[in-house]
Amino acid sequence: MPYGRGRIFISACIVLLLMMHEVGCQPQPTDHKVFDVKNFNAVGDGTEDDAMALIRAWVAACRSGAAAKVLIPPGNFMASEVVFAGPCTATKPIIVEIQGTLLANTDLSSYSQGAWISIERVDGLLLTGPGTIDGRGKSVWKYGADSDLPLLPVALSLKSVENAKVGDLKFVNSMGFHLEVRDSKNIDISKVGITAPGDSPFTHGIHLTNSTNVKITDSVIGTGDDCVSIDYGTQSVLVAGVTCGPGHGLSVGSLGKLVDETNVNGITVTNCTLVKTKNGARIRSYHDSPKIEATNIVFEHLVMEGVQNPILIDQHYNSKDNSQQSSVRLSDIHFRDISGTSTSPIAINLNCSSLVPCEKVELANINLKPFDSTIKQLTSACSNAQIITQGQIFPSMPNRCT
C-alpha cells in the first residue's frame, strides 16, 4: 500500500474509534458459552428427576473461566434438591436463564437443607426468565400448617450471594417461602410474579435476613403470608412498585425471636398497593427478645384496598404465653401518605413495648376510610409510643399513647 494511502487508512480508523467512543459504542463482550441442561442429560418430561443434570450444567458453567450461561430451555423439568454453589471462575455475571418450567419433587424426604433450589457463595449472578418456578406446594401444605413443625422447603434461596439480579420470573405455589435472600448484599429483584392461595401456610413471597442493599421493585405478589418480610440484620432495603394481595402485607419482622439477632436499619417501602391483605404496613416483634434496634423505617405513598390492619406496630406478636416485654427498640419510624380502606374498625394500631417504648413515630397525611357500610366509624389506638403527626390524620390519633 502506498505511504499516503496508508496514512489516510490509519487516520480513518482513528476517527472511527473516536466516534465510537463519543457515542458510547464499545466493543461487544464475547458471547456467553451456553450450558444447556439437556446436554447434561436433563429429560424435561415433568416426571424424570433432572436435579443432577441441572447441577452438572451449573458446575461446568461455574468452572468454565469464561462468560457462561446455564440454560433451562422450554419444557417441564422436575427436580428434587438442587444446589448451585460457588465461588465460580466464570466471568461475572454468570447467567441462569429459565425458559421452561421447574417443577419441585413433592417428596419431602428429597430435601435436607431447607430449600429446593439454593444458590450459594456466588459473586456476580443474573437469574432471569421468562420461565416458571413451580413448588407444587398444594400436596404438602397440610404438613406446614402446624407452626411447631419445621418450615417446608424454600423454593429459591440466595445464600451468601453478592451482586445479583433476579427478574422476569414467575414463582407459583412454593411449599414454603417462595424467595429467600440470606447473608447477601447488592441484590436487585425486579419484575417477578409470585402466586399462591391466600390460605397456604408460611408461603412468604420474598423474605430477607441479614442482608444489605436489597431492591425489590415492580412486582406482583400474592401469597398465604407476608408478600415481603424483612428480618433481622437487614440494612438498606428498597421495596417499590409492589402490588400485594392476598397475603399478610409488607412487614418488618418478626424481630427478636432468636438470641443472636442484629439490628435493622434503613428500610423504605414506597409506591405500593395492597389489596385485601390481612395487614398493610406492619412492624412486629416478640416478647423476651434480645436488645436490638430497628430504626429509620419508612412506609410511604401506599394505597390500601380493603386491608384489615392498614397501619400496625405489634410488639406483642405471638407472645401470649410470655409476660416479658419486647426489648426491640423501634425508633425513627415513618408512615406517610397512606390512603384507602380498612375492613376493621381500628385502622391505625401502634402497640409498642412498655419496656422500650417506640420513639419518633411519624404519621403524616393519613386518609383511611371504612371499606363498607358494616363499619360505622374508624378509630386509632396506640400505647407506649412517642408520636409526631403532620397534616391530615384520619382516623385521628389519641391525645396520649401511654
Side-chain angles (χ1 to χ4, degrees):
M1 179 182 294
Y3 174 73
R5 188 176 298 176
R7 288 186 61 184
I8 294 171
F9 177 79
I10 294 170
S11 297
C13 289
I14 293 172
V15 171
L16 179 59
L17 288 171
L18 289 171
M19 290 174 63
M20 289 172 65
H21 177 74
E22 288 178 1
V23 299
C25 182
Q26 301 296 326
Q28 294 300 308
T30 304
D31 289 341
H32 286 75
K33 181 178 180 181
V34 176
F35 295 82
D36 189 326
V37 297
K38 283 204 166 184
N39 293 333
F40 293 83
N41 299 322
V43 178
D45 64 355
T47 302
E48 191 78 18
D49 194 325
D50 289 321
M52 287 309 302
L54 271 62
I55 293 170
R56 284 193 292 264
W58 167 265
V59 170
C62 179
R63 296 177 179 176
S64 66
K69 177 196 290 187
V70 175
L71 176 64
I72 301 171
N76 295 308
F77 297 86
M78 193 276 285
S80 51
E81 189 172 75
V82 173
V83 179
F84 291 166
C88 295
T89 63
T91 304
K92 301 177 185 179
I94 188 170
I95 298 174
V96 178
E97 182 176 325
I98 303 173
Q99 296 179 354
T101 298
L102 290 174
L103 299 170
N105 188 332
T106 57
D107 180 359
L108 291 178
S109 67
S110 301
Y111 306 96
S112 61
Q113 303 298 320
W116 169 26
I117 303 167
S118 295
I119 302 177
E120 304 176 1
R121 302 183 301 281
V122 175
D123 183 0
L125 170 72
L126 174 59
L127 176 60
T128 186
T132 300
I133 297 175
D134 186 347
R136 299 206 290 180
K138 186 175 181 180
S139 64
V140 300
W141 285 331
K142 59 187 175 182
Y143 304 117
D146 188 343
S147 60
D148 293 330
L149 295 175
L151 293 178
L152 294 173
V154 176
L156 174 64
S157 178
L158 305 184
K159 299 177 182 177
S160 300
V161 170
E162 299 183 17
N163 305 309
K165 291 185 177 182
V166 179
D168 298 306
L169 278 170
K170 296 180 285 293
F171 294 78
V172 179
N173 295 337
S174 175
M175 290 180 275
F177 298 175
H178 285 81
L179 173 54
E180 173 192 56
V181 179
R182 179 180 292 273
D183 305 325
S184 299
K185 64 182 180 181
N186 302 331
I187 308 297
D188 189 336
I189 301 168
S190 180
K191 296 180 182 178
V192 299
I194 300 177
T195 305
D199 59 355
S200 55
F202 303 109
T203 54
H204 295 60
I206 302 175
H207 182 75
L208 311 180
T209 302
N210 199 37
S211 295
T212 302
N213 193 19
V214 180
K215 295 180 181 179
I216 302 168
T217 59
D218 302 327
S219 297
V220 178
I221 305 173
T223 70
D225 213 298
D226 296 335
C227 292
V228 177
S229 53
I230 300 166
D231 215 337
Y232 64 87
T234 302
Q235 317 275 335
S236 301
V237 173
L238 173 66
V239 179
V242 170
T243 298
C244 169
H248 292 183
L250 304 171
S251 297
V252 175
S254 302
L255 303 175
K257 186 175 184 179
L258 306 176
V259 297
D260 58 349
E261 293 186 15
T262 53
N263 295 340
V264 173
N265 180 55
I267 311 300
T268 298
V269 179
T270 185
N271 292 305
C272 297
T273 300
L274 297 100
V275 181
K276 295 183 179 179
T277 54
K278 184 175 181 180
N279 307 290
R282 176 170 64 159
I283 304 172
R284 56 184 179 171
S285 70
Y286 287 92
H287 279 190
D288 196 17
S289 66
K291 294 181 179 180
I292 62 172
E293 296 183 355
T295 186
N296 189 18
I297 299 170
V298 178
F299 292 95
E300 63 180 7
H301 313 315
L302 306 182
V303 176
M304 310 283 176
E305 298 180 6
V307 173
Q308 186 174 337
N309 302 298
I311 297 174
L312 176 63
I313 294 178
D314 180 8
Q315 291 205 263
H316 312 279
Y317 178 73
N318 199 25
S319 300
K320 293 180 180 179
D321 297 329
N322 192 329
S323 61
Q324 178 66 42
Q325 292 279 298
S326 176
S327 294
V328 178
R329 183 180 298 276
L330 303 181
S331 65
D332 198 12
I333 311 297
H334 305 270
F335 299 98
R336 301 171 178 156
D337 185 25
I338 298 176
S339 62
T341 56
S342 173
T343 62
S344 65
I346 303 177
I348 304 172
N349 190 358
L350 311 179
N351 192 6
C352 297
S353 169
S354 61
L355 186 62
V356 282
C358 297
E359 300 175 349
K360 299 179 182 178
V361 180
E362 178 194 25
L363 293 133
N365 300 318
I366 309 298
N367 185 17
L368 296 168
K369 300 178 180 180
F371 177 68
D372 56 32
S373 59
T374 62
I375 303 172
K376 303 302 181 183
Q377 183 177 359
L378 295 183
T379 62
S380 297
C382 66
S383 58
N384 305 307
Q386 177 195 65
I387 64 169
I388 303 165
T389 59
Q390 305 283 346
Q392 177 190 24
I393 307 297
F394 189 84
S396 59
M397 296 299 297
N399 292 330
R400 299 183 65 187
C401 289
T402 57

